[in-house]
Amino acid sequence: MSAKDVNPNGPKHVAIIMDGNGRWATQRNRPRLFGHQAGAKRVRQAVETCPSLGVKYLTMFAFSTENWKRTQSEVSGLMALFRRYIQREANYLHRLGTRVRFIGDREKLDKKLQALMDYLEKLTENNDVTHLTIALNYGARDEVTRATQRLAVEIAEKRLRPEQVNSEVLASFLDTYVLPDPDLVIRTSGEARISNFLLWQSAYAEYEFIDTHWPDFTPEVFASVVARFGGRDRRFGAVKA
Ligand code: FPP
């Protein structure tokens, strides 16, 4: 598919819960980290595929605030993978014209990883082909809690009055304040759960729960999910005209 075939009604912002790396690896008698490594390759491919599908914003759930409960070896393996991913992919993503952002509470991540995240954001800050947002140590309740704390400070210090708080003002305190809301949220690997991902932002999103494990999420699978979205009728709570 080429850019000229893009469906104008297709999703502009796709958010993905990348699930099933562990099961994919277990099915192959390999350690879970092998699945995460295979998953990282699909992240690159998904970014490459976005322009031909008309997807301008891609947001990926890489590590949740709940994922710290995994074994210490899996957590440290994932953190090492994120560091290596940024080191290896930074120049390539930049060449593709990808603007990379991170959402989530980065304070709790190790300093080396934080420095790499800052570096990649800075390197790509003027790019505009695809906007890739990686959710790292992200949880929607945590995001809303942190936003509320900052908003409470604004009110306590009298820069904002309580009656000025509306949904736009609250949204401007979220990690995603510069991003449009997702049009389509995809979760791979068969579970029909949101798992604390973009709860506020996805209020009117369409959801696709697909059986494919994340390491099998090819550009063809991506294209077929996006094509299904193009056929849906979205009314945002209104009656069709
Ligand atoms: C879910 O599979 C996947 C994760 C918790 C990690 C996602 C990470 C990657 C795809 C690696 C690279 C990402 C970036 C952005 C570099 P799971 O472990 O929950 O699978 P399971 O449910 O089968 O156990």
Side-chain angles (χ1 to χ4, degrees):
M1 196 195 272
S2 77
K4 71 176 165 34
D5 301 318
V6 164
N7 178 352
N9 298 322
K12 299 285 168 286
H13 183 174
V14 175
I16 307 185
I17 303 172
M18 303 178 281
D19 196 12
N21 294 347
R23 275 165 283 174
W24 183 91
T26 304
Q27 283 168 359
R28 286 160 181 75
N29 293 316
R30 303 296 298 268
R32 294 176 57 82
L33 269 170
F34 180 72
H36 296 313
Q37 281 156 2
K41 295 191 185 124
R42 294 298 185 193
V43 174
R44 163 192 270 239
Q45 250 184 351
V47 176
E48 289 169 342
T49 310
C50 281
S52 69
L53 299 178
V55 173
K56 188 84 183 166
Y57 295 87
L58 180 67
T59 299
M60 316 291 271
F61 205 177
F63 193 87
S64 79
T65 45
E66 287 72 38
N67 285 152
W68 298 106
K69 294 182 202 141
R70 295 187 175 202
T71 62
Q72 213 258 318
S73 80
E74 184 168 353
V75 169
S76 58
L78 275 168
M79 293 300 151
L81 177 65
F82 298 140
R83 286 195 300 270
R84 275 202 312 276
Y85 181 84
I86 297 175
Q87 281 163 333
R88 280 204 204 126
E89 302 285 298
N91 287 337
Y92 181 67
L93 288 168
H94 186 39
R95 273 206 309 282
L96 284 181
T98 312
R99 175 156 188 182
V100 185
R101 297 183 179 89
F102 292 91
I103 56 171
D105 186 358
R106 60 180 85 186
E107 296 296 309
K108 296 196 178 74
L109 299 169
D110 78 62
K111 292 282 175 265
K112 175 97 196 289
L113 179 56
Q114 285 186 41
L116 286 164
M117 291 158 70
D118 293 344
Y119 161 76
L120 185 55
E121 284 184 333
K122 185 91 189 116
L123 176 73
T124 62
E125 69 183 351
N126 296 316
N127 294 341
D128 188 41
V129 175
T130 305
H131 291 244
L132 170 66
T133 302
I134 300 175
L136 240 177
N137 194 28
Y138 174 86
R141 289 183 173 180
D142 178 67
E143 177 190 34
V144 173
T145 305
R146 286 184 287 104
T148 307
Q149 284 169 354
R150 291 199 299 275
L151 204 144
V153 170
E154 294 302 296
I155 291 177
E157 297 184 356
K158 307 228 182 298
R159 286 189 291 272
L160 195 63
R161 292 193 309 278
E163 62 274 19
Q164 288 177 307
V165 179
N166 56 28
S167 63
E168 282 78 32
V169 170
L170 179 46
S172 74
F173 283 83
L174 297 174
D175 296 351
T176 50
Y177 65 98
V178 285
L179 302 175
D181 286 342
D183 303 297
L184 172 64
V185 179
I186 303 171
R187 181 176 186 136
T188 58
S189 209
E191 319 282 354
R193 282 196 295 273
I194 303 309
S195 301
N196 203 11
F197 188 45
L198 302 176
L199 295 182
W200 170 281
Q201 299 85 343
S202 300
Y204 288 100
E206 298 283 330
Y207 287 93
E208 279 279 348
F209 300 100
I210 61 171
D211 288 336
T212 310
H213 293 317
W214 175 251
D216 289 329
F217 190 88
T218 59
E220 291 71 30
V221 174
F222 194 4
S224 70
V225 179
V226 165
R228 277 205 291 281
F229 174 94
R232 294 200 197 173
D233 172 24
R234 299 175 80 208
R235 291 189 294 276
F236 299 94
V239 175
K240 196 174 181 186

